[in-house]
Amino acid sequence: YPGSAVVICGDDDAWTDGNPGRSKATSAADVMRCRAIFPAFQDTDTKPTDFNDLHCLEGLEAVVAQLTGEPELHQHKVEYDAMPDLLLSPPGILGDMVAYYNATARAPQPGIAVQTALATVSVFTGRSYRTTKGNHTSMYFLNVAKSGTGKEHAKTVMEDILMAAGQESLLNGAGYTSAGAVISTLLQKPKHITVIDEFGRYIEAAKASKNSNLMEANTQLMEAIGRCHGTMRPTAYSTMTLTKDKADEFQNRKVKNPAITLIAMTTPAALYENLNSSDIAGGFLGRFIIHQSTQPRMVHDDKDLIDVPNRIVDWAEKIISRSQPSYNDGIASESPHFETLPFSGEALTALREFDQYRVDLSNELEKSNLEALPGRSKEMAMRMSLMVSLANDPDASVVDEAATKWAIDYVKFALDQAVNILKMKVSGSTFEAEKKEILAAIRATGSHGVTWSEMMKTPPFSHHKRRDLTELLGSLTDSTKVGLQTVQTGKKGRPREAYIGLK
């Protein structure tokens, strides 16, 4: 009955320590994205627990009334995390993975749950599927959240799913120490997923004393995500001291169709304190789908252990088995077999519209030195569209419009969120310099302050367009550096609404 709603009629084991009936029914409802209801009794002297007891004590009519009336419901709820509901509930197996994350998380991180699901689908489909436009599914994801808010649960969920599907070998260590480490890992595992827990510290270490090894590793990662369709080779070094066989072996090292999925976590302070505009201009950060969590710290919920749902495992097995013919998944030097899917006409139309948005946004961001950030957003949307189509149907033969529109909406949301935050946070950006100039000018007015109408006539305020000045003032107000206050001018002067420097 695929069109029917599923309702779990749980036992209410109120007389048993831990109430396992309610606990397990609740967990099942959470992970299966359905409702759980529990019986209510007029008389509890006999310590009734389930709907069979309700039938015996009060009759079938009471059971029907509770099932069809307004029963006590349990439905998993997640805290608001800035992301729209449509994106927090992705389609197909992605939604099941999100539900599994939420049902097992001690602290809610609904946005990171979606990023985790996308990364998991990315590694399962990597080096196996592509579009007729040459898009592959390897992607990089970055999650920014306060310490102590549960962002580390992403690693646990991915490990659980990969192990349940018999694909634990796809897991890699926590990052790469050098360019050679990237290549060496790909030679052993041409398809794998890497989880970096403290990404901000990783960037900091790469910059410390100009750590060339980590900087080269980042450069190699940039190359890897762009070479899914081609071949990666290590940097050439002298082979004069090697034997001919060793020299030939060294020179012939190569990875065809590298497929790295990377998911990174960091705190806002650790990331933004170590970023500057050159990190964006160089393209490294622009290769990530960035999610900035708004979740506050809260008391953790002790959840019961839950097995990975069978339908997630079944989907993974179908995805793997579909790409098995002549499959060279584990052989780095040989191209694997690819299942190739075309985009529908409607999907291509949606992508063209999104590409125009990307171009317009890049032009607008030139003044902030952030124009490189949207550069690969269309490619990301195309990769994600393929992933979403396969998440909906492991036997999909086309990347359809619905999957593509969801992917575009997701990439656009992440891009807009990143742009708004990075304009204010990144050291060396034009926006930051303009903000400092405006702050200094407001502070120079002292307790007199400056009104909006005065700004329109006075440099440096008047050098900016109204919209840009509003954005600069909003950023300064949000950071409590300036405030809009009622100011009395002299003893007889009329009160004015003026911006005042606060600190």
CSV table of all heavy atoms in Angstrom, one decimal, residues 484-488 495-498:
chain,number,residue,atom,x,y,z
A,484,LEU,N,21.1,53.4,16.3
A,484,LEU,CA,20.2,54.5,15.9
A,484,LEU,C,19.5,55.0,17.1
A,484,LEU,O,18.7,54.2,17.8
A,484,LEU,CB,19.2,54.0,14.8
A,484,LEU,CG,18.3,55.1,14.2
A,484,LEU,CD1,19.1,56.2,13.5
A,484,LEU,CD2,17.3,54.4,13.2
A,485,GLN,N,19.8,56.2,17.5
A,485,GLN,CA,19.2,56.7,18.8
A,485,GLN,C,18.6,58.1,18.6
A,485,GLN,O,18.9,58.8,17.6
A,485,GLN,CB,20.4,56.9,19.8
A,485,GLN,CG,21.0,55.5,20.2
A,485,GLN,CD,22.1,55.7,21.2
A,485,GLN,OE1,22.4,56.8,21.7
A,485,GLN,NE2,22.8,54.6,21.6
A,486,THR,N,17.7,58.5,19.5
A,486,THR,CA,17.1,59.8,19.6
A,486,THR,C,18.1,60.7,20.3
A,486,THR,O,18.5,60.5,21.4
A,486,THR,CB,15.8,59.8,20.3
A,486,THR,OG1,14.9,58.9,19.6
A,486,THR,CG2,15.2,61.2,20.3
A,487,VAL,N,18.5,61.8,19.6
A,487,VAL,CA,19.6,62.7,20.1
A,487,VAL,C,19.0,64.1,20.2
A,487,VAL,O,18.4,64.6,19.2
A,487,VAL,CB,20.8,62.7,19.1
A,487,VAL,CG1,21.9,63.7,19.7
A,487,VAL,CG2,21.4,61.3,19.0
A,488,GLN,N,19.2,64.7,21.3
A,488,GLN,CA,18.7,66.1,21.6
A,488,GLN,C,19.9,67.1,21.1
A,488,GLN,O,21.0,66.9,21.6
A,488,GLN,CB,18.4,66.3,23.0
A,488,GLN,CG,17.9,67.7,23.3
A,488,GLN,CD,16.4,67.9,22.9
A,488,GLN,OE1,15.6,66.9,22.9
A,488,GLN,NE2,16.1,69.1,22.4
A,495,PRO,N,14.6,66.9,18.8
A,495,PRO,CA,15.2,65.6,18.8
A,495,PRO,C,15.4,65.1,17.4
A,495,PRO,O,14.6,65.3,16.5
A,495,PRO,CB,14.2,64.8,19.6
A,495,PRO,CG,13.4,65.7,20.4
A,495,PRO,CD,13.3,67.0,19.5
A,496,ARG,N,16.5,64.4,17.2
A,496,ARG,CA,16.8,63.8,15.9
A,496,ARG,C,17.1,62.3,16.0
A,496,ARG,O,17.6,61.9,17.0
A,496,ARG,CB,18.1,64.4,15.3
A,496,ARG,CG,18.2,65.9,15.5
A,496,ARG,CD,19.6,66.5,15.4
A,496,ARG,NE,20.4,66.0,14.3
A,496,ARG,CZ,21.5,65.3,14.6
A,496,ARG,NH1,21.9,65.0,15.8
A,496,ARG,NH2,22.3,64.9,13.6
A,497,GLU,N,16.7,61.5,15.0
A,497,GLU,CA,17.1,60.1,14.9
A,497,GLU,C,18.5,60.0,14.2
A,497,GLU,O,18.6,60.3,13.0
A,497,GLU,CB,16.1,59.3,14.2
A,497,GLU,CG,14.7,59.2,14.9
A,497,GLU,CD,14.9,58.3,16.2
A,497,GLU,OE1,15.6,57.3,16.1
A,497,GLU,OE2,14.3,58.7,17.2
A,498,ALA,N,19.5,59.7,15.0
A,498,ALA,CA,20.9,59.8,14.4
A,498,ALA,C,21.6,58.5,14.8
A,498,ALA,O,21.4,57.9,15.8
A,498,ALA,CB,21.6,61.0,15.0
